[in-house]
Amino acid sequence: MEEMMKVKIEFGELYYAQTKHRQRIEIDEKLRIRVYSLAEKMHEMFREGITPPAEVGKHCSICSMVDLCQPRLTKKYRSVANYIRSAFLESEETE
């Protein structure tokens, strides 16, 4: 937003719907550098076709994306290739 609007944003707020709690986050130079660095890593992984493994945790039970993410598949199969291989073998067994 800072780049688009050409303004300096001093703080933001995260709202947690489940707890109805708002957390104020100070936006300083250290945070900006961290965000730029993480964004660059994300773009690099995208260019290289890398999907990082999901990290399974207690947070998964309240996550709205758990059905899309399916973090337990990462733990069980370790790679997309293993998942596809397993799914293919299962489909052959049912035929």
Side-chain angles (χ1 to χ4, degrees), residues 28-45:
D28 59 10
E29 228 24 66
K30 184 177 176 182
L31 180 59
R32 284 182 184 89
I33 291 168
R34 177 90 171 121
V35 169
Y36 286 130
S37 172
L38 290 172
E40 183 53 41
K41 285 182 184 178
M42 179 192 68
H43 286 287
E44 185 178 318
M45 291 173 78

Side-chain angles (χ1 to χ4, degrees), residues 42-72:
M42 179 192 68
H43 286 287
E44 185 178 318
M45 291 173 78
F46 180 78
R47 282 190 299 271
E48 294 175 7
I50 297 170
T51 303
E55 294 181 18
V56 181
K58 61 182 178 181
H59 57 278
C60 293
S61 64
I62 60 170
C63 179
S64 63
M65 300 293 287
V66 72
D67 291 335
L68 295 173
C69 174
Q70 298 185 2
R72 298 203 190 314

Side-chain angles (χ1 to χ4, degrees), residues 2 7-12 24-28 31-32:
E2 286 184 330
V7 297
K8 197 73 146 179
I9 299 172
E10 303 297 326
F11 68 91
R24 186 180 176 126
I25 306 295
E26 300 297 325
I27 301 174
D28 59 10
L31 180 59
R32 284 182 184 89

